[in-house]
Each structure stands twice: as C-alpha cells, then as structure tokens.
Amino acid sequence: GITEPTDIQEQAIPIINSGKDIIGKSKTGSGKTAAFGIPLINKVVPKKGVQALILAPTRELAVQISRELGKFGKYSKLGIATVYGGVSLRPQIRDIARAEIVVSTPGRLLDHLKQRNIDLSKLTHFVLDEADTMLDMGFIDDIQFILDLAPEDRVMSLYSATMPTEILRLAEEYLNNPKQ
C-alpha cells in the first residue's frame, strides 16, 4: 500500500542500502519502521542466524515493529522474533533460534544474552528505534552493554524524535561516520 516514500524513507533507505551508519531524526508516525525495515529485509539472508537486531523501548513498539516487518517481508521467508519481558522465555528461545531479525526491548535481550540464548556474532545491522525514549527510561547502560557485544563492522541505525546530548554521545561512540 506504500505508493510514495516519506521523507525519512526517501533519505534513509539509500544510506542503509549503501552500508553506511545513519542517524534519523523523525517524528512518531513518519515511516521510520519502513525506512530501516525494508533495507533489512533485503539485506539479511534466510537460514543464516540472527543478522539484524532492533531495540525498542517498549513491548508495544517491539510488537508493532515486528508486525510491520512481517508485512514488508511477507514473501521473504525470514524469521522475525519479538522479544520482551513479562512472558515466558521458552517460546522466545524457540523464535530466536529460527530468526534472522530480532526485535527486542533492552531488558529482555539482556536476559537472553546472559543465558546465551542469542548469538550476536553474525549481526550485520543494529537499529536503535526511539533512542530518546530509551534514554528517558534509563536504558543507556543496557544499550551500551549490548552494543559492546555486537560486531564492530555492523551497519548501525539510530532513530529518535529528539537528539539529547546523551544520544549524540552514544552516536559518536558507536556509529561510524554516520549520515544524518
């Protein structure tokens, strides 16, 4: 149903496709999920393990992102695992084992990492969605811990409605010459 790209999609998709890191500042509802999701679906390879990780601040956003990725990648044969707290780990462990893309909240991802339920060594794309909200919720240390476990040669996308100093510091430390 998408006939015209939004501004963020028009600008972000070519950058991500070229393998460059990106900082995207855009309002909620502006099409950010498609801006990072469509390139991910085109880049990840079926049956090669978790290659893309998307961190979202809330369960609701993680579910929404997964739902949208499912629509965009309907014919791609890619597995998408949605990982968040408040539910059993067992089904998530099964889903992660079959996934190429994982959409997660930071706290639950840490649970899976500590139990070695997820391997980030094949990660080629790392997305922080609503980074400012994650900062407000106190996830900055968790995000840095997760980023330190991810391969350095991954494509990093950071999306935020605002750019507080702490987010800019995070971008400076973990993104490689990002396009804005």
Side-chain angles (χ1 to χ4, degrees), residues 109-152:
L109 182 63
L110 287 176
D111 294 341
H112 283 289
L113 286 166
K114 287 174 185 170
Q115 294 184 27
R116 299 183 181 184
N117 299 331
I118 186 168
D119 174 15
L120 300 182
S121 68
K122 296 177 185 165
L123 211 62
T124 59
H125 290 78
F126 194 125
V127 178
L128 292 176
D129 194 16
E130 294 196 11
D132 54 350
T133 303
M134 286 192 271
L135 174 68
D136 291 344
M137 295 174 75
F139 288 130
I140 193 74
D141 292 337
D142 295 344
I143 292 167
Q144 288 178 299
F145 180 83
I146 295 163
L147 280 165
D148 288 339
L149 294 176
E152 287 187 27

Side-chain angles (χ1 to χ4, degrees), residues 1 37-38 40-42 44-47 66-80 100-101:
I38 291 170
L40 291 183
I41 289 164
N42 286 324
V44 298
V45 180
K47 309 269 190 248
S66 290
R67 191 178 311 120
E68 291 301 306
L69 292 178
K71 289 178 193 175
F72 303 146
K74 184 176 180 178
Y75 302 105
S76 67
K77 297 182 180 164
L78 296 174
I80 302 168
E100 288 81 23
I101 300 173

